Amino acid sequence: MAKVLIIGAGGVSRVVTKKCAMNSDVFSDITLASRTKSKCDLIAKEIKDALHVEVKTAQVDADHIDELVALIKSVKPDLVMNIALPYQDLTIMDACAACGVDYLDTANYEHPDTAKFEYKEQWARDDKFKKAGIMGLLGSGFDPGVTNVFCAYANQYLFDEIHYIDILDCNAGDHGYPFATNFNPEINLREVSANGRYWQRDENEKREWIETKPLEIKMVWDYPEVGKKDSYLMYHEEMESLSKNIKGLKRIRFFMTFGQSYLTHMKCLENVGILRIDEVEVDGVKVVPLHLLKELLPDPAGLGARTVGKTNIGCVIEGIKDGIKKKIYIYNVCDHQACYRETGAQAVSYTTGVPAMIGAKMILEKEWSGKGVFNMENFDAKPFMEELSKQGLPWKISDID
Ligand code: NDP
């Protein structure tokens, strides 16, 4: 029985809040707060109608620590779940440290003015969290999140040594729009249009990040239950922690699938300058072009009803077990319409929201505990893997010859 404060009321939060309400034996008291309170009220009403569970709502601007501290002091939660945007990670972490309350998020910190995300500033809060006697769990979504747990499970239970990891993210869903993103458009387009990067350690123990041009490296992967898809190398945040935490690793890469229509639209938008994140003046008004684009694009939270098809996200892991070479693909397949029937959301929100709830359950039930700031692979993967199967994200392992 625990009290949670969920911050943010977008597509992912709708799934997180519903899944918490569906596990009311653990999440017995839920408060949902965001910048726009009416969005919280809408989610609370959906939950009341469907599940007969009461969700309290509140307004907060999570860019301001004083507002967050006042809210946390009045709600008195056991855990704050940050399901807003990466821009709010540091303010919410600092408010949790000030109030002595555990913290969880799904995406690592990014400054609004620089399209670059890294764990540096969140890891730097480790001492502060230790002194406050609290735990911070970073990146409890699918990727990062479940992909870290898949790697940890392989490391802890399936391999003696892991040498190569390729994380594969395939969304083969079709929403019928010529162009839309499946989570927050601003965060998504900053990520996809950035340079690619992967990590390697050579035979002389030299550890390095190799940078590539955006989407320069492509491979075709045959995704179970989906089929062959073009998959493009990108930088993704879980590589930063996994390259440190999986001992013996020689290389880690991340690939994501994109359809031709998405790529053509994105290139065109980039070429005309609409992906710019600096201000331009239009008729005396200052505008960030990417903010304008976000307003024009479909809201990912509203794509659920019209998205059909499946996602397949997993990790190809290669290494040694009992002296013999071994290679596996460990993955989850999710059906967009099945997610919509259960939660009113498409599969990208669902695959992010369910692991956020499970991460919270791990903390609240003390399956995972500690003082300081942690990544998902720092804990025993087994209880999390068991919950994935129970909570709607079953996984499979196939051997690769
Ligand atoms: P949305 O844009 O749909 O929702 C974001 C929510 O945060 C909105 O309700 C927004 O409020 C609120 N918000 C923004 N700024 C503030 C603020 N200053 N104070 C309070 N609330 C604020 O995003 P998504 O639901 O698509 O994504 C949520 C998070 O999940 C993001 O961090 C994203 O990067 C992450 N994510 C992680 C994935 C993973 O696998 N790990 C995959 C996909 C997403 P308002 O309505 O007023 O704008």
PDB file of all heavy atoms in Angstrom, residues 179 189 192-193 213-215 260-275:
ATOM      1  N   PHE A 179       2.587  11.916 -41.789  1.00  0.00           N
ATOM      2  CA  PHE A 179       3.725  12.096 -40.880  1.00  0.00           C
ATOM      3  C   PHE A 179       3.218  12.377 -39.477  1.00  0.00           C
ATOM      4  O   PHE A 179       2.412  13.292 -39.267  1.00  0.00           O
ATOM      5  CB  PHE A 179       4.609  13.270 -41.346  1.00  0.00           C
ATOM      6  CG  PHE A 179       5.852  13.440 -40.526  1.00  0.00           C
ATOM      7  CD1 PHE A 179       6.911  12.549 -40.658  1.00  0.00           C
ATOM      8  CD2 PHE A 179       5.980  14.480 -39.615  1.00  0.00           C
ATOM      9  CE1 PHE A 179       8.073  12.685 -39.896  1.00  0.00           C
ATOM     10  CE2 PHE A 179       7.142  14.626 -38.863  1.00  0.00           C
ATOM     11  CZ  PHE A 179       8.187  13.728 -39.011  1.00  0.00           C
ATOM     12  N   LEU A 189      11.996  14.140 -32.593  1.00  0.00           N
ATOM     13  CA  LEU A 189      12.699  14.664 -33.771  1.00  0.00           C
ATOM     14  C   LEU A 189      14.105  15.158 -33.421  1.00  0.00           C
ATOM     15  O   LEU A 189      15.020  15.068 -34.245  1.00  0.00           O
ATOM     16  CB  LEU A 189      11.864  15.765 -34.434  1.00  0.00           C
ATOM     17  CG  LEU A 189      10.616  15.210 -35.140  1.00  0.00           C
ATOM     18  CD1 LEU A 189       9.619  16.308 -35.442  1.00  0.00           C
ATOM     19  CD2 LEU A 189      10.995  14.471 -36.413  1.00  0.00           C
ATOM     20  N   VAL A 192      16.066  11.757 -33.429  1.00  0.00           N
ATOM     21  CA  VAL A 192      16.247  11.059 -34.710  1.00  0.00           C
ATOM     22  C   VAL A 192      17.139  11.858 -35.664  1.00  0.00           C
ATOM     23  O   VAL A 192      17.884  11.286 -36.465  1.00  0.00           O
ATOM     24  CB  VAL A 192      14.865  10.753 -35.343  1.00  0.00           C
ATOM     25  CG1 VAL A 192      15.035  10.104 -36.709  1.00  0.00           C
ATOM     26  CG2 VAL A 192      14.045   9.863 -34.428  1.00  0.00           C
ATOM     27  N   SER A 193      17.087  13.193 -35.585  1.00  0.00           N
ATOM     28  CA  SER A 193      17.864  13.992 -36.539  1.00  0.00           C
ATOM     29  C   SER A 193      19.308  14.245 -36.052  1.00  0.00           C
ATOM     30  O   SER A 193      20.096  14.874 -36.751  1.00  0.00           O
ATOM     31  CB  SER A 193      17.147  15.325 -36.804  1.00  0.00           C
ATOM     32  OG  SER A 193      16.995  16.033 -35.590  1.00  0.00           O
ATOM     33  N   LYS A 213      27.039   9.980 -39.242  1.00  0.00           N
ATOM     34  CA  LYS A 213      26.058  11.003 -39.638  1.00  0.00           C
ATOM     35  C   LYS A 213      24.654  10.483 -39.313  1.00  0.00           C
ATOM     36  O   LYS A 213      24.468   9.272 -39.159  1.00  0.00           O
ATOM     37  CB  LYS A 213      26.176  11.266 -41.139  1.00  0.00           C
ATOM     38  CG  LYS A 213      27.506  11.864 -41.532  1.00  0.00           C
ATOM     39  CD  LYS A 213      27.337  12.729 -42.777  1.00  0.00           C
ATOM     40  CE  LYS A 213      28.627  13.450 -43.074  1.00  0.00           C
ATOM     41  NZ  LYS A 213      29.718  12.524 -43.467  1.00  0.00           N
ATOM     42  N   PRO A 214      23.648  11.369 -39.196  1.00  0.00           N
ATOM     43  CA  PRO A 214      22.313  10.892 -38.840  1.00  0.00           C
ATOM     44  C   PRO A 214      21.831   9.790 -39.797  1.00  0.00           C
ATOM     45  O   PRO A 214      21.872   9.961 -41.013  1.00  0.00           O
ATOM     46  CB  PRO A 214      21.437  12.149 -38.991  1.00  0.00           C
ATOM     47  CG  PRO A 214      22.376  13.292 -38.848  1.00  0.00           C
ATOM     48  CD  PRO A 214      23.695  12.825 -39.376  1.00  0.00           C
ATOM     49  N   LEU A 215      21.452   8.657 -39.245  1.00  0.00           N
ATOM     50  CA  LEU A 215      20.859   7.522 -39.989  1.00  0.00           C
ATOM     51  C   LEU A 215      21.729   7.051 -41.159  1.00  0.00           C
ATOM     52  O   LEU A 215      21.229   6.531 -42.158  1.00  0.00           O
ATOM     53  CB  LEU A 215      19.437   7.873 -40.468  1.00  0.00           C
ATOM     54  CG  LEU A 215      18.509   8.496 -39.415  1.00  0.00           C
ATOM     55  CD1 LEU A 215      17.121   8.718 -39.982  1.00  0.00           C
ATOM     56  CD2 LEU A 215      18.412   7.658 -38.158  1.00  0.00           C
ATOM     57  N   GLN A 260       9.812   4.827 -45.249  1.00  0.00           N
ATOM     58  CA  GLN A 260      10.337   5.811 -46.197  1.00  0.00           C
ATOM     59  C   GLN A 260       9.607   7.150 -46.076  1.00  0.00           C
ATOM     60  O   GLN A 260      10.202   8.207 -46.188  1.00  0.00           O
ATOM     61  CB  GLN A 260      10.259   5.249 -47.627  1.00  0.00           C
ATOM     62  CG  GLN A 260      11.253   5.877 -48.589  1.00  0.00           C
ATOM     63  CD  GLN A 260      12.667   6.007 -48.025  1.00  0.00           C
ATOM     64  OE1 GLN A 260      13.276   5.019 -47.613  1.00  0.00           O
ATOM     65  NE2 GLN A 260      13.208   7.234 -47.957  1.00  0.00           N
ATOM     66  N   SER A 261       8.289   7.108 -45.814  1.00  0.00           N
ATOM     67  CA  SER A 261       7.516   8.353 -45.732  1.00  0.00           C
ATOM     68  C   SER A 261       8.016   9.218 -44.558  1.00  0.00           C
ATOM     69  O   SER A 261       8.191  10.436 -44.688  1.00  0.00           O
ATOM     70  CB  SER A 261       6.031   8.030 -45.571  1.00  0.00           C
ATOM     71  OG  SER A 261       5.317   9.195 -45.319  1.00  0.00           O
ATOM     72  N   TYR A 262       8.269   8.568 -43.411  1.00  0.00           N
ATOM     73  CA  TYR A 262       8.776   9.300 -42.233  1.00  0.00           C
ATOM     74  C   TYR A 262      10.107   9.972 -42.578  1.00  0.00           C
ATOM     75  O   TYR A 262      10.326  11.159 -42.310  1.00  0.00           O
ATOM     76  CB  TYR A 262       8.956   8.317 -41.056  1.00  0.00           C
ATOM     77  CG  TYR A 262       9.475   8.963 -39.780  1.00  0.00           C
ATOM     78  CD1 TYR A 262       8.611   9.312 -38.747  1.00  0.00           C
ATOM     79  CD2 TYR A 262      10.839   9.220 -39.609  1.00  0.00           C
ATOM     80  CE1 TYR A 262       9.088   9.904 -37.584  1.00  0.00           C
ATOM     81  CE2 TYR A 262      11.328   9.809 -38.452  1.00  0.00           C
ATOM     82  CZ  TYR A 262      10.451  10.154 -37.435  1.00  0.00           C
ATOM     83  OH  TYR A 262      10.927  10.735 -36.293  1.00  0.00           O
ATOM     84  N   LEU A 263      11.010   9.187 -43.228  1.00  0.00           N
ATOM     85  CA  LEU A 263      12.349   9.712 -43.519  1.00  0.00           C
ATOM     86  C   LEU A 263      12.296  10.871 -44.509  1.00  0.00           C
ATOM     87  O   LEU A 263      12.996  11.876 -44.350  1.00  0.00           O
ATOM     88  CB  LEU A 263      13.244   8.595 -44.076  1.00  0.00           C
ATOM     89  CG  LEU A 263      13.567   7.473 -43.085  1.00  0.00           C
ATOM     90  CD1 LEU A 263      14.383   6.383 -43.760  1.00  0.00           C
ATOM     91  CD2 LEU A 263      14.310   8.021 -41.868  1.00  0.00           C
ATOM     92  N   THR A 264      11.436  10.730 -45.529  1.00  0.00           N
ATOM     93  CA  THR A 264      11.336  11.788 -46.543  1.00  0.00           C
ATOM     94  C   THR A 264      10.789  13.070 -45.913  1.00  0.00           C
ATOM     95  O   THR A 264      11.309  14.161 -46.135  1.00  0.00           O
ATOM     96  CB  THR A 264      10.404  11.337 -47.696  1.00  0.00           C
ATOM     97  OG1 THR A 264      10.845  10.060 -48.135  1.00  0.00           O
ATOM     98  CG2 THR A 264      10.412  12.306 -48.849  1.00  0.00           C
ATOM     99  N   HIS A 265       9.733  12.931 -45.096  1.00  0.00           N
ATOM    100  CA  HIS A 265       9.179  14.109 -44.422  1.00  0.00           C
ATOM    101  C   HIS A 265      10.220  14.756 -43.511  1.00  0.00           C
ATOM    102  O   HIS A 265      10.383  15.974 -43.501  1.00  0.00           O
ATOM    103  CB  HIS A 265       7.962  13.726 -43.580  1.00  0.00           C
ATOM    104  CG  HIS A 265       6.691  13.661 -44.365  1.00  0.00           C
ATOM    105  ND1 HIS A 265       6.337  12.574 -45.121  1.00  0.00           N
ATOM    106  CD2 HIS A 265       5.699  14.556 -44.516  1.00  0.00           C
ATOM    107  CE1 HIS A 265       5.178  12.798 -45.699  1.00  0.00           C
ATOM    108  NE2 HIS A 265       4.762  14.005 -45.353  1.00  0.00           N
ATOM    109  N   MET A 266      10.931  13.916 -42.748  1.00  0.00           N
ATOM    110  CA  MET A 266      11.880  14.480 -41.783  1.00  0.00           C
ATOM    111  C   MET A 266      13.000  15.232 -42.494  1.00  0.00           C
ATOM    112  O   MET A 266      13.385  16.327 -42.094  1.00  0.00           O
ATOM    113  CB  MET A 266      12.471  13.383 -40.899  1.00  0.00           C
ATOM    114  CG  MET A 266      13.139  13.978 -39.674  1.00  0.00           C
ATOM    115  SD  MET A 266      13.943  12.767 -38.677  1.00  0.00           S
ATOM    116  CE  MET A 266      15.427  12.515 -39.617  1.00  0.00           C
ATOM    117  N   LYS A 267      13.490  14.647 -43.607  1.00  0.00           N
ATOM    118  CA  LYS A 267      14.580  15.297 -44.351  1.00  0.00           C
ATOM    119  C   LYS A 267      14.109  16.641 -44.894  1.00  0.00           C
ATOM    120  O   LYS A 267      14.812  17.652 -44.832  1.00  0.00           O
ATOM    121  CB  LYS A 267      15.028  14.371 -45.498  1.00  0.00           C
ATOM    122  CG  LYS A 267      16.363  14.702 -46.071  1.00  0.00           C
ATOM    123  CD  LYS A 267      17.487  14.271 -45.122  1.00  0.00           C
ATOM    124  CE  LYS A 267      18.646  15.217 -45.114  1.00  0.00           C
ATOM    125  NZ  LYS A 267      19.455  15.231 -43.931  1.00  0.00           N
ATOM    126  N   CYS A 268      12.895  16.636 -45.424  1.00  0.00           N
ATOM    127  CA  CYS A 268      12.338  17.859 -46.007  1.00  0.00           C
ATOM    128  C   CYS A 268      12.176  18.937 -44.918  1.00  0.00           C
ATOM    129  O   CYS A 268      12.589  20.087 -45.095  1.00  0.00           O
ATOM    130  CB  CYS A 268      11.007  17.516 -46.658  1.00  0.00           C
ATOM    131  SG  CYS A 268      10.166  18.949 -47.273  1.00  0.00           S
ATOM    132  N   LEU A 269      11.629  18.535 -43.762  1.00  0.00           N
ATOM    133  CA  LEU A 269      11.443  19.492 -42.655  1.00  0.00           C
ATOM    134  C   LEU A 269      12.787  20.031 -42.180  1.00  0.00           C
ATOM    135  O   LEU A 269      12.929  21.226 -41.905  1.00  0.00           O
ATOM    136  CB  LEU A 269      10.712  18.801 -41.489  1.00  0.00           C
ATOM    137  CG  LEU A 269       9.256  18.420 -41.771  1.00  0.00           C
ATOM    138  CD1 LEU A 269       8.736  17.437 -40.729  1.00  0.00           C
ATOM    139  CD2 LEU A 269       8.374  19.669 -41.819  1.00  0.00           C
ATOM    140  N   GLU A 270      13.777  19.160 -42.140  1.00  0.00           N
ATOM    141  CA  GLU A 270      15.113  19.570 -41.718  1.00  0.00           C
ATOM    142  C   GLU A 270      15.706  20.557 -42.734  1.00  0.00           C
ATOM    143  O   GLU A 270      16.239  21.606 -42.367  1.00  0.00           O
ATOM    144  CB  GLU A 270      16.003  18.340 -41.610  1.00  0.00           C
ATOM    145  CG  GLU A 270      17.338  18.617 -40.986  1.00  0.00           C
ATOM    146  CD  GLU A 270      18.125  17.330 -40.760  1.00  0.00           C
ATOM    147  OE1 GLU A 270      17.948  16.350 -41.503  1.00  0.00           O
ATOM    148  OE2 GLU A 270      18.928  17.329 -39.822  1.00  0.00           O
ATOM    149  N   ASN A 271      15.565  20.209 -44.028  1.00  0.00           N
ATOM    150  CA  ASN A 271      16.139  21.057 -45.084  1.00  0.00           C
ATOM    151  C   ASN A 271      15.548  22.466 -45.086  1.00  0.00           C
ATOM    152  O   ASN A 271      16.243  23.430 -45.399  1.00  0.00           O
ATOM    153  CB  ASN A 271      15.925  20.417 -46.468  1.00  0.00           C
ATOM    154  CG  ASN A 271      16.855  19.238 -46.674  1.00  0.00           C
ATOM    155  OD1 ASN A 271      17.835  19.085 -45.951  1.00  0.00           O
ATOM    156  ND2 ASN A 271      16.540  18.387 -47.640  1.00  0.00           N
ATOM    157  N   VAL A 272      14.272  22.591 -44.732  1.00  0.00           N
ATOM    158  CA  VAL A 272      13.682  23.934 -44.748  1.00  0.00           C
ATOM    159  C   VAL A 272      13.829  24.645 -43.395  1.00  0.00           C
ATOM    160  O   VAL A 272      13.398  25.776 -43.236  1.00  0.00           O
ATOM    161  CB  VAL A 272      12.194  23.926 -45.197  1.00  0.00           C
ATOM    162  CG1 VAL A 272      12.058  23.444 -46.623  1.00  0.00           C
ATOM    163  CG2 VAL A 272      11.325  23.116 -44.252  1.00  0.00           C
ATOM    164  N   GLY A 273      14.419  23.960 -42.415  1.00  0.00           N
ATOM    165  CA  GLY A 273      14.742  24.639 -41.154  1.00  0.00           C
ATOM    166  C   GLY A 273      13.694  24.507 -40.064  1.00  0.00           C
ATOM    167  O   GLY A 273      13.806  25.133 -39.006  1.00  0.00           O
ATOM    168  N   ILE A 274      12.695  23.648 -40.266  1.00  0.00           N
ATOM    169  CA  ILE A 274      11.613  23.546 -39.263  1.00  0.00           C
ATOM    170  C   ILE A 274      12.023  22.695 -38.059  1.00  0.00           C
ATOM    171  O   ILE A 274      11.344  22.674 -37.043  1.00  0.00           O
ATOM    172  CB  ILE A 274      10.314  22.997 -39.913  1.00  0.00           C
ATOM    173  CG1 ILE A 274       9.852  23.918 -41.046  1.00  0.00           C
ATOM    174  CG2 ILE A 274       9.168  22.829 -38.933  1.00  0.00           C
ATOM    175  CD1 ILE A 274       9.223  25.207 -40.592  1.00  0.00           C
ATOM    176  N   LEU A 275      13.168  21.997 -38.150  1.00  0.00           N
ATOM    177  CA  LEU A 275      13.629  21.248 -36.975  1.00  0.00           C
ATOM    178  C   LEU A 275      14.563  22.094 -36.105  1.00  0.00           C
ATOM    179  O   LEU A 275      15.082  21.612 -35.103  1.00  0.00           O
ATOM    180  CB  LEU A 275      14.341  19.949 -37.395  1.00  0.00           C
ATOM    181  CG  LEU A 275      13.520  18.940 -38.212  1.00  0.00           C
ATOM    182  CD1 LEU A 275      14.274  17.624 -38.360  1.00  0.00           C
ATOM    183  CD2 LEU A 275      12.154  18.668 -37.573  1.00  0.00           C
TER     184      LEU A 275
END
